[in-house]
Amino acid sequence: MEQQTRLPRHIAVIMDGNGRWAKKRGLPRTDGHKKGAEVFRQICQYASDIGIEYMTFYAFSTENWKRSEQEVCAIMDLLRAYLAEMQQREDENRTGGYRIRFLGAREGMPDDIVRLMDEAEEKSRDKTRITINICVNYGGRDEIVHAVRTLCDRAKRGELEPADVSEALVSDALYTAGQPDPDLIIRPSGEVRLSNFLVWQSAYAEFYFDDVLWPDFTPADLDRAIAAYNQRDRRFGDAR
Ligand code: IPE
Ligand code: IPE
Ligand code: MG
């Protein structure tokens, strides 16, 4: 990256296009997910190398349960493999300073995966090089519903009044509590929609859409997205 580049603090990526990548090659969709998972690892490493503080990856949405059992199982197995790998790397002290967080509803996820996710978060909580958020069983609306429930529970216990509910309190009840909002949201694969990703947090994000399919996404594509971000004039409602 060029010296003068302004790095976004937080980049979020919708890892889309795995199925089409596989179809183009006459392969089963699950091969696309496998390649997509490798690309995810490469982009984590690259983002960490260039100094991005937060990366958020959309891996599996609350709507993706509609897919065939075979495809869902294959995605869960890829997640298991990644979690096992992180555990191994943790034991060998070579995680590269990743702080891992899983965003999404734990309810509905297989018990063994929930245990591994909790463990990965716990073991990596004090790492500071980069925060990697992986959205699994994640939906932006579901996240807001979850936050509203948390606040209602607190009100019921007498800890707050309805008039105390503020943007800050809602933010603090989201899965991303304590993290900055994404500066840049990247969606490869040619689709120009959010698909229930970071609905609250994207309020002032810059968007970058790319035709490349996720399994073909490279560090050079990330560089291009960051370069485009550098051309944007972020105003946040101000009159500059
Ligand atoms: C993204 O790729 C991965 C998940 C949604 C789990 P897709 O599987 O959506 O790939 P396309 O969009 O069908 O090509
Ligand atoms: C969004 O992609 C979810 C993930 C990448 C995990 P989808 O492929 O599920 O989104 P739609 O269905 O095209 O909107
Ligand atoms: Mg898709």
Side-chain angles (χ1 to χ4, degrees):
M1 299 294 320
E2 283 171 37
Q3 278 305 307
Q4 302 91 323
T5 301
R6 207 165 24 96
L7 280 182
R9 270 190 90 189
H10 184 172
I11 301 179
V13 184
I14 301 173
M15 301 191 286
D16 196 20
N18 296 350
R20 278 163 284 171
W21 182 91
K23 193 172 177 202
K24 257 174 55 183
R25 285 164 179 75
L27 298 168
R29 293 178 60 84
T30 49
D31 282 21
H33 296 313
K34 207 169 148 197
K35 180 68 170 40
E38 284 169 27
V39 169
F40 155 75
R41 286 168 172 81
Q42 284 161 11
I43 297 299
C44 284
Q45 184 61 56
Y46 183 67
S48 167
D49 290 346
I50 63 173
I52 305 293
E53 288 177 67
Y54 297 87
M55 286 295 296
T56 299
F57 294 92
Y58 202 5
F60 190 84
S61 75
T62 45
E63 289 73 33
N64 288 147
W65 295 105
K66 294 175 193 161
R67 297 187 180 197
S68 75
E69 196 183 333
Q70 188 210 9
E71 184 170 347
V72 171
C73 284
I75 293 169
M76 293 300 151
D77 281 344
L78 286 167
L79 182 57
R80 280 189 184 91
Y82 179 71
L83 286 160
E85 182 188 311
M86 289 315 280
Q87 197 167 40
Q88 170 103 17
R89 285 176 63 175
E90 187 67 50
D91 291 345
E92 294 166 8
N93 208 11
R94 54 181 184 88
T95 49
Y98 291 7
R99 180 168 74 126
I100 310 256
R101 305 271 309 144
F102 289 93
L103 316 186
R106 297 293 211 256
E107 307 86 62
M109 289 294 292
D111 291 343
D112 67 308
I113 294 187
V114 172
R115 258 195 313 278
L116 289 166
M117 292 196 301
D118 289 343
E119 217 174 286
E121 286 188 345
E122 181 57 34
K123 284 187 171 171
S124 69
R125 64 185 303 163
D126 297 323
K127 302 288 167 59
T128 53
R129 186 165 176 89
I130 186 170
T131 296
I132 307 276
N133 293 313
I134 306 171
C135 299
V136 179
N137 196 15
Y138 174 88
R141 288 185 171 181
D142 186 61
E143 180 180 34
I144 293 169
V145 168
H146 177 265
V148 170
R149 279 202 194 121
T150 304
L151 295 178
C152 288
D153 276 346
R154 290 187 57 194
K156 202 170 160 194
R157 286 199 301 268
E159 291 171 17
L160 52 85
E161 292 293 322
D164 296 333
V165 176
S166 61
E167 291 191 12
L169 269 192
V170 174
S171 289
D172 282 348
L174 299 175
Y175 298 127
T176 46
Q179 302 193 24
D181 285 343
D183 301 294
L184 172 62
I185 296 181
I186 300 173
R187 183 163 194 162
S189 92
E191 308 301 346
V192 187
R193 55 176 173 260
L194 210 43
S195 301
N196 206 8
F197 190 43
L198 302 178
V199 169
W200 172 279
Q201 300 89 334
S202 62
Y204 270 101
E206 295 294 330
F207 289 87
Y208 181 81
F209 297 100
D210 196 335
D211 285 337
V212 65
L213 301 172
W214 176 252
D216 288 326
F217 197 90
T218 64
D221 291 310
L222 188 66
D223 283 348
R224 272 188 282 279
I226 295 172
Y229 170 81
N230 272 265
Q231 301 303 312
R232 308 280 175 87
D233 180 16
R234 300 186 82 189
R235 287 192 290 272
F236 299 99
D238 207 337
R240 274 171 287 169

PDB file of all heavy atoms in Angstrom, residues 95-121:
ATOM      1  N   THR A  95      -0.811 -17.627  16.749  1.00  0.00           N
ATOM      2  CA  THR A  95      -2.058 -17.090  16.186  1.00  0.00           C
ATOM      3  C   THR A  95      -1.832 -15.732  15.523  1.00  0.00           C
ATOM      4  O   THR A  95      -2.740 -15.196  14.888  1.00  0.00           O
ATOM      5  CB  THR A  95      -3.146 -16.901  17.266  1.00  0.00           C
ATOM      6  OG1 THR A  95      -2.563 -16.210  18.357  1.00  0.00           O
ATOM      7  CG2 THR A  95      -3.730 -18.214  17.706  1.00  0.00           C
ATOM      8  N   GLY A  96      -0.648 -15.178  15.704  1.00  0.00           N
ATOM      9  CA  GLY A  96      -0.373 -13.896  15.056  1.00  0.00           C
ATOM     10  C   GLY A  96      -1.108 -12.731  15.702  1.00  0.00           C
ATOM     11  O   GLY A  96      -1.306 -11.693  15.081  1.00  0.00           O
ATOM     12  N   GLY A  97      -1.529 -12.918  16.942  1.00  0.00           N
ATOM     13  CA  GLY A  97      -2.165 -11.798  17.639  1.00  0.00           C
ATOM     14  C   GLY A  97      -3.588 -11.517  17.212  1.00  0.00           C
ATOM     15  O   GLY A  97      -4.072 -10.404  17.340  1.00  0.00           O
ATOM     16  N   TYR A  98      -4.291 -12.543  16.696  1.00  0.00           N
ATOM     17  CA  TYR A  98      -5.702 -12.346  16.326  1.00  0.00           C
ATOM     18  C   TYR A  98      -6.578 -12.406  17.581  1.00  0.00           C
ATOM     19  O   TYR A  98      -6.516 -13.378  18.328  1.00  0.00           O
ATOM     20  CB  TYR A  98      -6.219 -13.473  15.428  1.00  0.00           C
ATOM     21  CG  TYR A  98      -5.668 -13.571  14.024  1.00  0.00           C
ATOM     22  CD1 TYR A  98      -4.626 -12.783  13.566  1.00  0.00           C
ATOM     23  CD2 TYR A  98      -6.235 -14.496  13.149  1.00  0.00           C
ATOM     24  CE1 TYR A  98      -4.153 -12.920  12.268  1.00  0.00           C
ATOM     25  CE2 TYR A  98      -5.774 -14.638  11.853  1.00  0.00           C
ATOM     26  CZ  TYR A  98      -4.724 -13.852  11.419  1.00  0.00           C
ATOM     27  OH  TYR A  98      -4.285 -14.014  10.137  1.00  0.00           O
ATOM     28  N   ARG A  99      -7.405 -11.406  17.723  1.00  0.00           N
ATOM     29  CA  ARG A  99      -8.483 -11.523  18.715  1.00  0.00           C
ATOM     30  C   ARG A  99      -9.719 -11.951  17.917  1.00  0.00           C
ATOM     31  O   ARG A  99     -10.148 -11.242  17.006  1.00  0.00           O
ATOM     32  CB  ARG A  99      -8.738 -10.179  19.399  1.00  0.00           C
ATOM     33  CG  ARG A  99      -9.842 -10.264  20.442  1.00  0.00           C
ATOM     34  CD  ARG A  99      -9.903  -9.023  21.311  1.00  0.00           C
ATOM     35  NE  ARG A  99     -10.466  -7.900  20.603  1.00  0.00           N
ATOM     36  CZ  ARG A  99     -11.500  -7.170  21.040  1.00  0.00           C
ATOM     37  NH1 ARG A  99     -12.063  -7.439  22.198  1.00  0.00           N
ATOM     38  NH2 ARG A  99     -11.944  -6.157  20.336  1.00  0.00           N
ATOM     39  N   ILE A 100     -10.237 -13.112  18.246  1.00  0.00           N
ATOM     40  CA  ILE A 100     -11.360 -13.664  17.469  1.00  0.00           C
ATOM     41  C   ILE A 100     -12.676 -13.439  18.205  1.00  0.00           C
ATOM     42  O   ILE A 100     -12.769 -13.681  19.411  1.00  0.00           O
ATOM     43  CB  ILE A 100     -11.189 -15.186  17.269  1.00  0.00           C
ATOM     44  CG1 ILE A 100      -9.791 -15.517  16.757  1.00  0.00           C
ATOM     45  CG2 ILE A 100     -12.283 -15.765  16.393  1.00  0.00           C
ATOM     46  CD1 ILE A 100      -9.703 -15.862  15.335  1.00  0.00           C
ATOM     47  N   ARG A 101     -13.678 -12.982  17.463  1.00  0.00           N
ATOM     48  CA  ARG A 101     -15.016 -12.830  18.031  1.00  0.00           C
ATOM     49  C   ARG A 101     -16.025 -13.447  17.061  1.00  0.00           C
ATOM     50  O   ARG A 101     -15.863 -13.313  15.851  1.00  0.00           O
ATOM     51  CB  ARG A 101     -15.363 -11.337  18.200  1.00  0.00           C
ATOM     52  CG  ARG A 101     -14.363 -10.546  19.022  1.00  0.00           C
ATOM     53  CD  ARG A 101     -14.660 -10.554  20.495  1.00  0.00           C
ATOM     54  NE  ARG A 101     -16.026 -10.182  20.748  1.00  0.00           N
ATOM     55  CZ  ARG A 101     -16.784 -10.697  21.713  1.00  0.00           C
ATOM     56  NH1 ARG A 101     -16.302 -11.632  22.498  1.00  0.00           N
ATOM     57  NH2 ARG A 101     -18.010 -10.298  21.880  1.00  0.00           N
ATOM     58  N   PHE A 102     -17.009 -14.100  17.596  1.00  0.00           N
ATOM     59  CA  PHE A 102     -18.082 -14.641  16.759  1.00  0.00           C
ATOM     60  C   PHE A 102     -19.332 -13.818  17.000  1.00  0.00           C
ATOM     61  O   PHE A 102     -19.791 -13.705  18.148  1.00  0.00           O
ATOM     62  CB  PHE A 102     -18.317 -16.118  17.066  1.00  0.00           C
ATOM     63  CG  PHE A 102     -17.179 -16.963  16.578  1.00  0.00           C
ATOM     64  CD1 PHE A 102     -16.125 -17.277  17.424  1.00  0.00           C
ATOM     65  CD2 PHE A 102     -17.127 -17.376  15.258  1.00  0.00           C
ATOM     66  CE1 PHE A 102     -15.044 -18.014  16.959  1.00  0.00           C
ATOM     67  CE2 PHE A 102     -16.049 -18.109  14.783  1.00  0.00           C
ATOM     68  CZ  PHE A 102     -15.010 -18.429  15.633  1.00  0.00           C
ATOM     69  N   LEU A 103     -19.862 -13.227  15.950  1.00  0.00           N
ATOM     70  CA  LEU A 103     -21.061 -12.412  16.062  1.00  0.00           C
ATOM     71  C   LEU A 103     -22.232 -13.203  15.504  1.00  0.00           C
ATOM     72  O   LEU A 103     -22.130 -13.767  14.409  1.00  0.00           O
ATOM     73  CB  LEU A 103     -20.910 -11.104  15.269  1.00  0.00           C
ATOM     74  CG  LEU A 103     -19.596 -10.323  15.384  1.00  0.00           C
ATOM     75  CD1 LEU A 103     -19.723  -8.992  14.630  1.00  0.00           C
ATOM     76  CD2 LEU A 103     -19.223 -10.068  16.838  1.00  0.00           C
ATOM     77  N   GLY A 104     -23.307 -13.247  16.270  1.00  0.00           N
ATOM     78  CA  GLY A 104     -24.481 -13.989  15.814  1.00  0.00           C
ATOM     79  C   GLY A 104     -25.098 -14.717  16.981  1.00  0.00           C
ATOM     80  O   GLY A 104     -24.555 -14.723  18.088  1.00  0.00           O
ATOM     81  N   ALA A 105     -26.253 -15.346  16.718  1.00  0.00           N
ATOM     82  CA  ALA A 105     -26.959 -16.056  17.785  1.00  0.00           C
ATOM     83  C   ALA A 105     -26.300 -17.410  18.010  1.00  0.00           C
ATOM     84  O   ALA A 105     -26.128 -18.188  17.074  1.00  0.00           O
ATOM     85  CB  ALA A 105     -28.425 -16.220  17.406  1.00  0.00           C
ATOM     86  N   ARG A 106     -25.967 -17.676  19.261  1.00  0.00           N
ATOM     87  CA  ARG A 106     -25.415 -18.997  19.601  1.00  0.00           C
ATOM     88  C   ARG A 106     -26.530 -20.044  19.576  1.00  0.00           C
ATOM     89  O   ARG A 106     -26.297 -21.204  19.253  1.00  0.00           O
ATOM     90  CB  ARG A 106     -24.795 -18.985  21.011  1.00  0.00           C
ATOM     91  CG  ARG A 106     -23.598 -18.045  21.203  1.00  0.00           C
ATOM     92  CD  ARG A 106     -22.396 -18.505  20.403  1.00  0.00           C
ATOM     93  NE  ARG A 106     -21.139 -18.158  21.043  1.00  0.00           N
ATOM     94  CZ  ARG A 106     -20.340 -17.173  20.655  1.00  0.00           C
ATOM     95  NH1 ARG A 106     -20.668 -16.409  19.627  1.00  0.00           N
ATOM     96  NH2 ARG A 106     -19.205 -16.941  21.281  1.00  0.00           N
ATOM     97  N   GLU A 107     -27.762 -19.609  19.935  1.00  0.00           N
ATOM     98  CA  GLU A 107     -28.890 -20.541  19.938  1.00  0.00           C
ATOM     99  C   GLU A 107     -29.089 -21.053  18.510  1.00  0.00           C
ATOM    100  O   GLU A 107     -29.083 -20.264  17.564  1.00  0.00           O
ATOM    101  CB  GLU A 107     -30.201 -19.862  20.393  1.00  0.00           C
ATOM    102  CG  GLU A 107     -30.131 -19.135  21.722  1.00  0.00           C
ATOM    103  CD  GLU A 107     -29.621 -17.708  21.574  1.00  0.00           C
ATOM    104  OE1 GLU A 107     -30.274 -16.915  20.897  1.00  0.00           O
ATOM    105  OE2 GLU A 107     -28.553 -17.411  22.143  1.00  0.00           O
ATOM    106  N   GLY A 108     -29.287 -22.348  18.394  1.00  0.00           N
ATOM    107  CA  GLY A 108     -29.506 -22.915  17.061  1.00  0.00           C
ATOM    108  C   GLY A 108     -28.235 -23.455  16.442  1.00  0.00           C
ATOM    109  O   GLY A 108     -28.273 -24.168  15.439  1.00  0.00           O
ATOM    110  N   MET A 109     -27.077 -23.102  17.016  1.00  0.00           N
ATOM    111  CA  MET A 109     -25.811 -23.624  16.498  1.00  0.00           C
ATOM    112  C   MET A 109     -25.491 -24.951  17.183  1.00  0.00           C
ATOM    113  O   MET A 109     -25.839 -25.154  18.347  1.00  0.00           O
ATOM    114  CB  MET A 109     -24.683 -22.624  16.782  1.00  0.00           C
ATOM    115  CG  MET A 109     -24.741 -21.353  15.945  1.00  0.00           C
ATOM    116  SD  MET A 109     -24.463 -21.698  14.194  1.00  0.00           S
ATOM    117  CE  MET A 109     -22.730 -22.197  14.200  1.00  0.00           C
ATOM    118  N   PRO A 110     -24.798 -25.859  16.491  1.00  0.00           N
ATOM    119  CA  PRO A 110     -24.428 -27.127  17.125  1.00  0.00           C
ATOM    120  C   PRO A 110     -23.600 -26.883  18.397  1.00  0.00           C
ATOM    121  O   PRO A 110     -22.745 -25.987  18.420  1.00  0.00           O
ATOM    122  CB  PRO A 110     -23.570 -27.822  16.053  1.00  0.00           C
ATOM    123  CG  PRO A 110     -23.939 -27.165  14.761  1.00  0.00           C
ATOM    124  CD  PRO A 110     -24.350 -25.774  15.096  1.00  0.00           C
ATOM    125  N   ASP A 111     -23.883 -27.676  19.442  1.00  0.00           N
ATOM    126  CA  ASP A 111     -23.238 -27.475  20.753  1.00  0.00           C
ATOM    127  C   ASP A 111     -21.717 -27.508  20.691  1.00  0.00           C
ATOM    128  O   ASP A 111     -21.045 -26.718  21.349  1.00  0.00           O
ATOM    129  CB  ASP A 111     -23.693 -28.560  21.744  1.00  0.00           C
ATOM    130  CG  ASP A 111     -25.156 -28.381  22.113  1.00  0.00           C
ATOM    131  OD1 ASP A 111     -25.691 -27.286  21.865  1.00  0.00           O
ATOM    132  OD2 ASP A 111     -25.752 -29.349  22.629  1.00  0.00           O
ATOM    133  N   ASP A 112     -21.168 -28.454  19.912  1.00  0.00           N
ATOM    134  CA  ASP A 112     -19.701 -28.565  19.880  1.00  0.00           C
ATOM    135  C   ASP A 112     -19.073 -27.303  19.278  1.00  0.00           C
ATOM    136  O   ASP A 112     -18.017 -26.850  19.732  1.00  0.00           O
ATOM    137  CB  ASP A 112     -19.258 -29.816  19.109  1.00  0.00           C
ATOM    138  CG  ASP A 112     -19.585 -29.753  17.626  1.00  0.00           C
ATOM    139  OD1 ASP A 112     -20.751 -29.489  17.280  1.00  0.00           O
ATOM    140  OD2 ASP A 112     -18.667 -29.934  16.808  1.00  0.00           O
ATOM    141  N   ILE A 113     -19.747 -26.716  18.295  1.00  0.00           N
ATOM    142  CA  ILE A 113     -19.217 -25.486  17.676  1.00  0.00           C
ATOM    143  C   ILE A 113     -19.305 -24.326  18.670  1.00  0.00           C
ATOM    144  O   ILE A 113     -18.367 -23.536  18.784  1.00  0.00           O
ATOM    145  CB  ILE A 113     -19.952 -25.163  16.351  1.00  0.00           C
ATOM    146  CG1 ILE A 113     -19.633 -26.252  15.308  1.00  0.00           C
ATOM    147  CG2 ILE A 113     -19.585 -23.779  15.837  1.00  0.00           C
ATOM    148  CD1 ILE A 113     -20.151 -25.980  13.915  1.00  0.00           C
ATOM    149  N   VAL A 114     -20.413 -24.251  19.399  1.00  0.00           N
ATOM    150  CA  VAL A 114     -20.569 -23.174  20.387  1.00  0.00           C
ATOM    151  C   VAL A 114     -19.437 -23.252  21.417  1.00  0.00           C
ATOM    152  O   VAL A 114     -18.825 -22.232  21.761  1.00  0.00           O
ATOM    153  CB  VAL A 114     -21.956 -23.249  21.080  1.00  0.00           C
ATOM    154  CG1 VAL A 114     -22.046 -22.269  22.248  1.00  0.00           C
ATOM    155  CG2 VAL A 114     -23.063 -22.961  20.073  1.00  0.00           C
ATOM    156  N   ARG A 115     -19.135 -24.464  21.861  1.00  0.00           N
ATOM    157  CA  ARG A 115     -18.051 -24.637  22.836  1.00  0.00           C
ATOM    158  C   ARG A 115     -16.723 -24.145  22.265  1.00  0.00           C
ATOM    159  O   ARG A 115     -15.983 -23.422  22.920  1.00  0.00           O
ATOM    160  CB  ARG A 115     -17.918 -26.113  23.231  1.00  0.00           C
ATOM    161  CG  ARG A 115     -18.529 -26.442  24.582  1.00  0.00           C
ATOM    162  CD  ARG A 115     -18.069 -27.800  25.102  1.00  0.00           C
ATOM    163  NE  ARG A 115     -18.137 -28.861  24.112  1.00  0.00           N
ATOM    164  CZ  ARG A 115     -19.247 -29.545  23.798  1.00  0.00           C
ATOM    165  NH1 ARG A 115     -20.379 -29.272  24.412  1.00  0.00           N
ATOM    166  NH2 ARG A 115     -19.213 -30.499  22.901  1.00  0.00           N
ATOM    167  N   LEU A 116     -16.451 -24.540  21.021  1.00  0.00           N
ATOM    168  CA  LEU A 116     -15.190 -24.134  20.385  1.00  0.00           C
ATOM    169  C   LEU A 116     -15.136 -22.623  20.144  1.00  0.00           C
ATOM    170  O   LEU A 116     -14.080 -21.998  20.275  1.00  0.00           O
ATOM    171  CB  LEU A 116     -14.984 -24.890  19.059  1.00  0.00           C
ATOM    172  CG  LEU A 116     -14.650 -26.377  19.184  1.00  0.00           C
ATOM    173  CD1 LEU A 116     -14.800 -27.080  17.835  1.00  0.00           C
ATOM    174  CD2 LEU A 116     -13.224 -26.567  19.722  1.00  0.00           C
ATOM    175  N   MET A 117     -16.269 -22.045  19.793  1.00  0.00           N
ATOM    176  CA  MET A 117     -16.310 -20.592  19.563  1.00  0.00           C
ATOM    177  C   MET A 117     -16.026 -19.856  20.873  1.00  0.00           C
ATOM    178  O   MET A 117     -15.225 -18.917  20.905  1.00  0.00           O
ATOM    179  CB  MET A 117     -17.677 -20.159  19.000  1.00  0.00           C
ATOM    180  CG  MET A 117     -17.946 -20.647  17.593  1.00  0.00           C
ATOM    181  SD  MET A 117     -19.309 -19.809  16.708  1.00  0.00           S
ATOM    182  CE  MET A 117     -20.679 -20.099  17.738  1.00  0.00           C
ATOM    183  N   ASP A 118     -16.676 -20.312  21.956  1.00  0.00           N
ATOM    184  CA  ASP A 118     -16.457 -19.680  23.263  1.00  0.00           C
ATOM    185  C   ASP A 118     -14.986 -19.780  23.660  1.00  0.00           C
ATOM    186  O   ASP A 118     -14.396 -18.831  24.173  1.00  0.00           O
ATOM    187  CB  ASP A 118     -17.325 -20.341  24.342  1.00  0.00           C
ATOM    188  CG  ASP A 118     -18.803 -20.004  24.169  1.00  0.00           C
ATOM    189  OD1 ASP A 118     -19.100 -19.039  23.438  1.00  0.00           O
ATOM    190  OD2 ASP A 118     -19.649 -20.713  24.758  1.00  0.00           O
ATOM    191  N   GLU A 119     -14.421 -20.953  23.412  1.00  0.00           N
ATOM    192  CA  GLU A 119     -13.029 -21.195  23.776  1.00  0.00           C
ATOM    193  C   GLU A 119     -12.077 -20.297  22.974  1.00  0.00           C
ATOM    194  O   GLU A 119     -11.155 -19.707  23.531  1.00  0.00           O
ATOM    195  CB  GLU A 119     -12.709 -22.660  23.473  1.00  0.00           C
ATOM    196  CG  GLU A 119     -11.791 -23.314  24.466  1.00  0.00           C
ATOM    197  CD  GLU A 119     -11.680 -24.795  24.134  1.00  0.00           C
ATOM    198  OE1 GLU A 119     -12.653 -25.524  24.403  1.00  0.00           O
ATOM    199  OE2 GLU A 119     -10.636 -25.184  23.585  1.00  0.00           O
ATOM    200  N   ALA A 120     -12.340 -20.203  21.682  1.00  0.00           N
ATOM    201  CA  ALA A 120     -11.478 -19.367  20.817  1.00  0.00           C
ATOM    202  C   ALA A 120     -11.543 -17.903  21.255  1.00  0.00           C
ATOM    203  O   ALA A 120     -10.527 -17.198  21.300  1.00  0.00           O
ATOM    204  CB  ALA A 120     -11.902 -19.508  19.358  1.00  0.00           C
ATOM    205  N   GLU A 121     -12.743 -17.446  21.611  1.00  0.00           N
ATOM    206  CA  GLU A 121     -12.892 -16.054  22.060  1.00  0.00           C
ATOM    207  C   GLU A 121     -12.141 -15.838  23.370  1.00  0.00           C
ATOM    208  O   GLU A 121     -11.427 -14.852  23.549  1.00  0.00           O
ATOM    209  CB  GLU A 121     -14.380 -15.715  22.269  1.00  0.00           C
ATOM    210  CG  GLU A 121     -15.139 -15.537  20.981  1.00  0.00           C
ATOM    211  CD  GLU A 121     -16.551 -15.011  21.200  1.00  0.00           C
ATOM    212  OE1 GLU A 121     -17.052 -15.052  22.345  1.00  0.00           O
ATOM    213  OE2 GLU A 121     -17.161 -14.565  20.209  1.00  0.00           O
TER     214      GLU A 121
END
